Amino acid sequence: MKKIYIGKENATYQQILALKNNRGKRNQLGLFFVEGVQNIKEAIAYGWDIDAFIFSSDKELSDWAKSILSLADKNYILSQQLMNNLSSKDIKSEILALVKKNVQSAIIDNENPVYILLDRPSKKGNMGTIIRSCDALNVSQIFYSGHSIDIYDCEVITASMGSFFKVPITFIDSSNTFNEIIDNIKTNHSELQIIATSLQATCRLQDCDFTKPTLLLIGNETVGLSKFYNDIANQAVKIPMKKGIDSLNVACATTACLYEIQRQRDFF
């Protein structure tokens, strides 16, 4: 295990900072920045490759932090000031990580799957919260498409509270890719239904039968689902709300939909 000491804002430090803040650098190096004990624990538990741990030479590490140092290819040892500058938490983290990207391309299958597709997600916190809800509510796989936020952004990772490393997430780069995925799923689940969420739908969420294999379509926070996804859906549903309220935050709405799906399946 290689140890690299950094006492000032040199090129190596600037690269670490760029991995935290710059999508292009993450794409270039195939690495992303992770903060938070739960996130690091889940990354390790689910077999993600750790490129480096980052910590300060000025503070004694906890026994847990010491126990994981050998799992990384290298360790960056910083001054406390540089460490504080990297950490986004009010109570500064004792250890940070750089993790290697793990691109999920295979379709995950199980007996009665629930899949979710996010069309052009644009809010980092919402994306992280949705990933966490998908983990809690038994979603087999998350798909996302279009011009969207970077799922490897540290704000997404932090908001997911470790669930990012547990739920397979796949980018769909075209309508052809989407159609291929649907064909793949239908090979084992011919009864797969594609359900869109829409404020204009006439069918209430609870009146839709979710006991069969389902792909739930969730639109962009501002403009909703694209015409392509609206047209391909078998049915559209809406969450009934009291008069005067016409929409929910997309993460809240997604969680409500997933809860109803699992309620109908007696998951709880």
Side-chain angles (χ1 to χ4, degrees), residues 174-185:
S174 68
S175 58
N176 286 338
T177 300
F178 176 81
N179 289 330
E180 289 172 4
I181 287 171
I182 296 303
D183 289 343
N184 185 307
I185 296 172

Side-chain angles (χ1 to χ4, degrees), residues 96-163:
L96 307 166
L98 300 180
V99 179
K100 298 177 184 179
K101 287 187 176 184
N102 181 13
V103 179
Q104 174 68 48
S105 57
I107 306 303
I108 306 303
D109 188 26
N110 55 39
E111 184 177 348
N112 188 14
V114 176
Y115 301 103
I116 186 171
L117 180 136
L118 305 168
D119 181 22
R120 297 163 293 167
S122 62
K123 304 293 183 183
K124 300 171 187 177
N126 283 341
M127 185 68 177
T129 301
I130 289 170
I131 294 170
R132 189 177 180 187
S133 293
C134 287
D135 182 22
L137 295 168
N138 208 32
V139 169
S140 300
Q141 190 164 0
I142 299 169
F143 302 102
Y144 70 107
S145 65
H147 184 67
S148 70
I149 51 95
D150 179 14
I151 64 166
Y152 293 98
D153 189 286
C154 63
E155 291 183 37
V156 176
I157 309 297
T158 299
S160 81
M161 293 295 290
S163 291

Side-chain angles (χ1 to χ4, degrees), residues 62-241:
S62 66
D63 290 343
W64 168 76
K66 290 177 183 177
S67 74
I68 64 174
L69 295 181
S70 63
L71 300 177
D73 295 342
K74 53 186 171 288
N75 288 167
Y76 292 117
I77 305 172
L78 280 58
S79 70
Q80 190 59 51
Q81 183 57 55
L82 293 181
M83 188 70 181
N84 290 345
N85 292 344
L86 280 178
S87 176
S88 297
K89 294 183 176 294
D90 293 333
I91 300 175
K92 301 304 182 183
S93 297
E94 68 165 341
I95 192 165
L96 307 166
L98 300 180
V99 179
K100 298 177 184 179
K101 287 187 176 184
N102 181 13
V103 179
Q104 174 68 48
S105 57
I107 306 303
I108 306 303
D109 188 26
N110 55 39
E111 184 177 348
N112 188 14
V114 176
Y115 301 103
I116 186 171
L117 180 136
L118 305 168
D119 181 22
R120 297 163 293 167
S122 62
K123 304 293 183 183
K124 300 171 187 177
N126 283 341
M127 185 68 177
T129 301
I130 289 170
I131 294 170
R132 189 177 180 187
S133 293
C134 287
D135 182 22
L137 295 168
N138 208 32
V139 169
S140 300
Q141 190 164 0
I142 299 169
F143 302 102
Y144 70 107
S145 65
H147 184 67
S148 70
I149 51 95
D150 179 14
I151 64 166
Y152 293 98
D153 189 286
C154 63
E155 291 183 37
V156 176
I157 309 297
T158 299
S160 81
M161 293 295 290
S163 291
F164 176 87
F165 301 99
K166 301 161 68 177
V167 182
I169 306 173
T170 302
F171 179 66
I172 295 178
D173 58 7
S174 68
S175 58
N176 286 338
T177 300
F178 176 81
N179 289 330
E180 289 172 4
I181 287 171
I182 296 303
D183 289 343
N184 185 307
I185 296 172
K186 285 186 174 181
T187 300
N188 295 321
H189 305 284
S190 59
E191 71 276 34
L192 177 76
Q193 62 178 354
I194 302 174
I195 305 297
T197 52
S198 172
L199 295 174
Q200 288 72 47
T202 57
C203 179
R204 301 184 308 167
L205 175 68
Q206 62 266 40
D207 295 331
C208 181
D209 179 7
F210 286 113
T211 60
K212 63 185 74 172
T214 297
L215 170 61
L216 182 69
L217 306 178
I218 304 292
N220 172 268
E221 290 92 334
T222 303
V223 298
L225 283 168
S226 67
K227 184 178 185 302
F228 171 77
Y229 290 121
N230 273 316
D231 289 347
I232 207 167
N234 304 122
Q235 186 173 1
V237 299
K238 66 178 180 181
I239 300 171
M241 288 170 275

